[in-house]
Amino acid sequence: MSKETNTINAGIAMIKVLESWGVDHLYGIPGGSINSTMDALLKEKDNIKYIQVRHEEVGAMAAAADAKLTGKIGVAFGSAGPGGTHLLNGLYDAREDHVPVLALVGQFGTSGMNMDTFQEMNENPIYADVAVYNVTVVTAESLPHIIDEAIRRAYANKGVAVVQIPVDLPWKDIPSESWYSSANSHQDFVYEHVDVQQAQSIADILSAAKRPLIYYGIGTRGAGQELEELSNKLKIPLMSTYPAKGILPDRHPHYLGSANRVAHKPANDALAQADVILFVGSNYPFAEVSNAFKNVEKFLQIDLDPSKLGKRHHTDVAMLADAKLALKKITELSSEKEETPWWQANLENIKNWNSYLDKIEHKTDGDLQAYQVYNAINSITNEKTIFSLDVGDVNQLANRHLLLKESNIHFTSNLFASMGVGIPGSIAAKLNYPDRQVFSLSGDGGAAMVMQDLVTQVQYNLPIINVVFSNNQFGFIKDEQEDTNNGYLGTTFNDIDFSKVADSMGMAGFRVDKISDLDLVFKKAKEIAKNEPVLIDVLISGDRPIPVENMKLDPDKFSEEEIDSFKKRYDAEDLIPFSEYLKKYGVNTVNEEIGEGGF
């Protein structure tokens, strides 16, 4: 700011708006049309950190991860044309997971706009679908105001704001009194009302139910104790969506896991038989396509977002409330219930499933499988470890074998399910939580998409443990093709030695292909990652994880030959069909299964 002229550079004012909202870092790659913003970042380098990524997609994915991890807005930028369009994958990830992200997109200077000049185009339509706020700045004076507006809209609508900035505008001076930030006015929404009559209705229906389930989602974060207390009092098994994994400790004796394909056997078993569902803080995206709730007689829902009430199923009681407060009130209004046959059958089924997982995780002979790798990961983590997961089999396997507590953080691309998010997310995690242990977990398919940004971890000295599960295939898609196609096409590829990729970028790299080597290598990696990033490339078998959405265990439905073949393939000799536990405890069944809900 100049005292003589009482002006401020518009670009610097823009960056100061970001700083006022608590933005301390942002991601991007410079280019001609964004260089005025780079100039402002250079002048403000002591107050905001620029993170140079090697692909704008990685920057946008990392910005989305910032928002998922902290609740604070993530910021990424790209230059005009391809720099901006490269952001789209990360922006759509943010949109689908409803987190606030700001994208700054360069544009040719105002004198060349609408003239078909180099990399100049009408950018606004490109971002119209992904953004809740999408504008092109037309004057230098409005630039800081529009950035402030964009941030407020992103927070208010839990989505993406995109601002296109002609390159000449941030270089101009504007009156110093012409701008301000509204950051000091920002407040998070608080809803403390719980309708007692609705809570009593839910308590009464749950108490009278014969086969009830509590089905919770990420809207119950921070309410693990309340979920457990209601489960204990009314003897109701608990299940969750996959993103809600870790709200209760994994292998909890009342936890069925999640349903459908990225799932656990007990959850699919129970969901097909349930008569009453308490659906809380959840937006299960496979509900309609899998007919997940077709056998349910009473559907009860609690959500803080009114747009979610009744979205996935006709609702008998719909409560607009904070999950933690609502669960606490329902528990208070409920009377202690004795153990029921349904409760006992489910607890035995959970125990049997957990024994199966434990067995395959602790195998010491045969080919190296992903299961033993997760056991090695669990052995070096702690209660504060953060896991950034890519998309594919890594989700299915982490869901079953990664052991989390509520104090851990575990995140991925939940609804958009974009491959390549593991490494970018780990960068964001380490920047936001420098004192916590951070992992990126990726398949070789996802890692290959973004492996260039391993060097970003090195460049900014971000001690991250990167684990790549290599089996030269898109395993998740290959398994889909097994079920739906006439053969396989496009699912296998040539090997990449990621340990050498890491080494070429100045990162310690290991390659493991034997179960017996896991313990030593992971212990070494843990020590290295106290000071610098490290990568472990594990060569796992191409074995398909057991398809819990299509189990062949029940002798009433499958032949002895089919059951034997299934058990042999998945090392599942000790798995027991849920029907046996239901019969044991005299639970009447509906003899139904839910659909797979795939493509």
Side-chain angles (χ1 to χ4, degrees), residues 69 82 363 460 540:
L69 285 159
K363 284 176 63 177
Y460 292 97
I540 59 171

Side-chain angles (χ1 to χ4, degrees), residues 213 215 239 241 259 271-272 274-279 282-288 290-299 311-314 594-595:
L213 292 176
Y215 195 171
M239 62 181 293
T241 58
L271 187 56
D275 63 351
V276 174
I277 297 282
L278 175 59
F279 195 61
S282 182
N283 181 34
Y284 179 52
F286 293 98
E288 296 93 342
S290 66
N291 289 317
F293 306 126
K294 65 180 179 180
N295 303 317
V296 173
E297 297 171 9
K298 295 286 186 180
F299 192 82
K311 178 180 175 68
R312 298 302 185 186
H313 191 72
H314 169 75
I594 61 172

Side-chain angles (χ1 to χ4, degrees), residues 213-320:
L213 292 176
I214 298 172
Y215 195 171
Y216 63 91
I218 58 175
T220 61
R221 278 186 180 151
Q225 180 178 341
E226 286 74 18
L227 286 165
E228 186 172 28
E229 287 175 354
L230 182 58
S231 170
N232 284 332
K233 195 168 190 180
L234 293 182
K235 307 303 182 287
I236 304 176
L238 294 152
M239 62 181 293
S240 77
T241 58
Y242 162 56
K245 170 185 169 68
I247 289 176
L248 283 175
D250 285 294
R251 311 289 166 87
H252 188 286
H254 307 164
Y255 179 55
L256 298 157
S258 55
N260 206 259
R261 185 177 172 198
V262 180
H264 297 245
K265 172 184 177 290
N268 279 335
D269 288 341
L271 187 56
Q273 302 290 334
D275 63 351
V276 174
I277 297 282
L278 175 59
F279 195 61
V280 52
S282 182
N283 181 34
Y284 179 52
F286 293 98
E288 296 93 342
V289 293
S290 66
N291 289 317
F293 306 126
K294 65 180 179 180
N295 303 317
V296 173
E297 297 171 9
K298 295 286 186 180
F299 192 82
L300 318 171
Q301 187 174 6
I302 302 168
D303 209 290
L304 196 58
D305 182 353
S307 72
K308 299 296 191 298
L309 295 174
K311 178 180 175 68
R312 298 302 185 186
H313 191 72
H314 169 75
T315 305
D316 295 280
V317 181
M319 177 187 284
L320 182 66

Side-chain angles (χ1 to χ4, degrees), residues 191-226:
Y191 192 87
E192 296 184 346
H193 175 72
V194 176
D195 188 295
V196 176
Q197 186 174 350
Q198 287 184 324
Q200 185 67 67
S201 294
I202 291 174
D204 291 343
I205 293 170
L206 289 175
S207 296
K210 295 180 179 178
R211 301 185 301 277
L213 292 176
I214 298 172
Y215 195 171
Y216 63 91
I218 58 175
T220 61
R221 278 186 180 151
Q225 180 178 341
E226 286 74 18

Side-chain angles (χ1 to χ4, degrees), residues 175 227-228 294 311 320 353 362 374 388 397 425 438 499 549 588:
L227 286 165
E228 186 172 28
K294 65 180 179 180
K311 178 180 175 68
L320 182 66
W353 170 250
H362 289 86
Y374 277 97
S388 174
L397 292 161
V438 173
S499 67
E549 75 283 8
N588 292 327

Side-chain angles (χ1 to χ4, degrees), residues 393-456:
D393 269 354
V394 68
N395 299 129
Q396 188 177 56
L397 292 161
N399 189 20
R400 299 172 185 173
H401 302 284
L402 190 62
L403 301 183
L404 304 182
K405 294 182 170 62
E406 194 168 5
S407 53
N408 291 119
I409 297 176
H410 144 278
F411 66 102
T412 185
S413 177
N414 293 322
L415 198 57
F416 195 51
S418 175
M419 291 178 64
V421 297
I423 290 170
S426 70
I427 292 169
K430 201 63 182 179
L431 287 169
N432 285 292
Y433 299 101
D435 297 326
R436 294 178 69 165
Q437 185 187 51
V438 173
F439 277 78
S440 80
L441 305 179
S442 305
D444 44 0
M449 292 182 174
V450 292
M451 60 184 176
Q452 75 284 336
D453 271 277
L454 288 169
V455 78
T456 303

Side-chain angles (χ1 to χ4, degrees), residues 462-483:
L462 302 175
I464 294 163
I465 301 174
N466 301 278
V467 180
V468 180
F469 295 83
S470 292
N471 54 10
N472 305 329
Q473 64 182 18
F474 296 117
F476 198 82
I477 306 305
K478 184 180 179 183
D479 297 343
E480 284 184 340
Q481 289 190 2
E482 177 182 350
D483 294 339

